[in-house]
Amino acid sequence: MATVNLGIPALPHRVTRARRVSRRLMVGPVPVGGDAPVSVQSMTTTVTADVNATLQQIAELTAAGCQIVRVAVPSQDDADALPVIARKSQIPVIADIHFQPKYVFAAIEAGCAAVRVNPGNIRKFDDKVGEIARAAADHGVPIRIGVNAGSLDPRLLEKYGKATPEALVESALWECSLFEEHGFGDIKISVKHHDPQVMIAAYRLLAASCDYPLHLGVTEAGPLMQGTIKSAVAFGVLLEEGIGDTIRVSLSAPPVEEVKVGIGVLESLGLRERRLEIVSCPSCGRAQVDVYTLADRVGAALDGFPYPLRVAVMGCVVNGPGEAREADLGVASGNGKGQIFVKGQVIKTVPESQIVETLVEEAMKLAELD
């Protein structure tokens, strides 16, 4: 199939500051840090020991655009399932370890692409750092030091009184220093907090204090709408400052939704090539069509379109023609009809009932997919 230029630049004009300089590591085949693109992660919600269910969810996440997946390993049964999951997953698998350091070694031996550890809730973790560093180095497995506000080391809670940005950063850098003492530096860090303002402050402080790649996340961000807003605000601020190498949107929602939001954030910041973008008006008293329903129908009909495509779905003649001309495809609707625009030119007027199918037909023509 021929390469198609639909008129949208791969990376729109950006005012983003220069990317923070960080060391680069590999999570399986996915580079993280340095000048590598910001990657999108998620986490399975299945019981990891249920291999078939876990692999099915990983396949769904992969299809949605997820690049790295994390699986929880709270039990021996979960650890026993890791070799099969790591081998059969289409994307790199990170083992998420809490409480039991023995599962860190199991994950490394199982072939996981990386291991995430939370030093605040792993018993006698500092005493195990040397062994973990040797095992990880021998297998080429990077470690993520994941510090969470809800499970901060009690010593730091006593020192700072609560999970302040300074407490989160001190915890992470202390653990990194222990690994570095054993000659291991293949590390990335996260310092997550449920409050975006605290999270932003923590990552700014961390970014200024080290060159480790940073995994961004607002932990326990909440339900779909609230969590999306909190994550988008925090990620937008930090990524525009050049801070952040990989992201996970933490939602009380199916993990595929996390991936969709994460990709959307990167596309909106010009950090990833746009795919389908629907430009639609919020509707008002001037609208002569149900814009909400029409925009949803157009989006559903073109979901999965294989090339970048901007489609304007407008409900009146005030902004409609102008927005439609700026898009690859567009419709300005009113009086039961829709003016169809392709590359800024009106090509036809169709009844309202034919708007969706006409836009799909024209999209196919643009992509040479007849």
Side-chain angles (χ1 to χ4, degrees):
M1 185 183 300
T3 300
V4 179
N5 182 359
L6 298 185
I8 303 176
L11 289 177
H13 174 68
R14 292 172 53 202
V15 294
T16 312
R17 298 182 192 178
R19 185 88 171 269
R20 165 182 170 267
V21 177
S22 70
R23 64 183 74 178
R24 180 169 172 157
L25 54 81
M26 299 298 296
V27 179
V30 178
V32 176
D35 59 355
V38 178
S39 54
V40 175
Q41 303 191 23
S42 186
M43 187 171 183
T44 56
T45 57
T46 57
V47 175
T48 304
D50 188 339
V51 173
N52 289 336
T54 301
L55 286 172
Q56 175 61 36
Q57 192 168 76
I58 291 174
E60 293 168 359
L61 288 167
T62 304
C66 186
Q67 296 165 279
I68 299 170
V69 66
R70 187 155 43 107
V71 299
V73 189
S75 74
Q76 187 62 52
D77 287 343
D78 298 315
D80 292 341
L82 289 176
V84 175
I85 292 171
R87 186 174 70 253
K88 292 190 175 183
S89 173
Q90 295 175 283
I91 55 177
V93 173
I94 297 178
D96 190 71
I97 311 297
H98 297 264
F99 306 115
Q100 292 284 354
K102 66 179 181 179
Y103 298 142
V104 175
F105 301 104
I108 292 171
E109 293 290 338
C112 289
V115 176
R116 182 269 176 133
V117 295
N118 185 342
N121 61 22
I122 294 181
R123 289 190 290 273
K124 297 183 178 179
F125 178 78
D126 292 356
D127 297 338
K128 296 288 185 180
V129 167
E131 293 177 61
I132 293 172
R134 285 191 293 275
D138 289 345
H139 290 79
V141 174
I143 299 290
R144 171 156 74 94
I145 303 295
V147 177
N148 271 24
S151 51
L152 192 62
D153 189 304
R155 294 167 294 183
L156 290 168
L157 281 176
E158 182 177 354
K159 177 179 178 179
Y160 288 96
K162 60 181 180 179
T164 64
E166 293 78 11
L168 294 169
V169 171
E170 183 174 329
S171 174
L173 293 181
W174 165 254
E175 299 301 338
C176 290
S177 72
L178 298 182
F179 277 95
E180 294 282 4
E181 286 179 1
H182 295 279
F184 186 84
D186 212 6
I187 300 167
K188 57 189 170 101
I189 306 178
S190 62
V191 283
K192 297 186 178 182
H193 197 284
H194 66 273
D195 184 328
Q197 294 184 348
V198 176
M199 176 267 201
I200 289 168
Y203 276 99
R204 282 173 170 163
L205 180 59
L206 186 59
S209 304
C210 69
D211 69 345
Y212 297 110
L214 303 184
H215 170 107
L216 301 187
V218 178
T219 192
E220 291 97 32
L224 181 58
M225 184 173 180
Q226 174 183 293
T228 295
I229 293 169
K230 291 169 70 173
S231 298
V233 167
F235 293 174
V237 169
L238 291 169
L239 291 170
E240 277 295 298
E241 294 179 4
I243 298 171
D245 302 287
T246 184
I247 63 173
R248 188 242 172 144
V249 179
S250 299
L251 300 176
S252 300
V256 165
E257 298 301 322
E258 298 184 348
V259 176
K260 291 178 181 177
V261 174
I263 290 173
V265 169
L266 297 183
E267 289 180 353
S268 296
L269 293 169
L271 294 172
R272 176 175 289 213
E273 182 179 73
R274 291 180 184 271
R275 298 186 295 182
L276 176 64
E277 179 186 9
I278 303 295
V279 178
S280 59
C281 59
S283 192
C284 67
R286 297 189 301 267
Q288 298 176 330
V289 67
D290 182 351
V291 177
Y292 308 147
T293 300
L294 183 58
D296 284 345
R297 289 177 59 211
V298 172
L302 290 170
D303 187 40
F305 192 75
Y307 300 105
L309 185 70
R310 181 179 285 121
V311 183
V313 180
M314 307 302 293
C316 79
V317 297
V318 175
N319 294 319
E323 291 289 357
R325 286 192 182 93
E326 290 296 316
D328 296 295
L329 297 175
V331 59
S333 308
N335 295 322
K337 298 177 291 186
Q339 266 191 332
I340 305 297
F341 291 75
V342 177
K343 305 303 247 178
Q345 301 297 319
V346 178
I347 63 162
K348 65 178 75 173
T349 299
V350 300
E352 185 177 322
S353 61
Q354 296 178 19
I355 288 174
V356 176
E357 65 182 84
T358 303
L359 289 173
V360 171
E361 289 171 1
E362 297 303 324
M364 294 301 188
K365 291 176 184 177
L366 280 175
E368 300 177 354
L369 294 175
D370 288 336

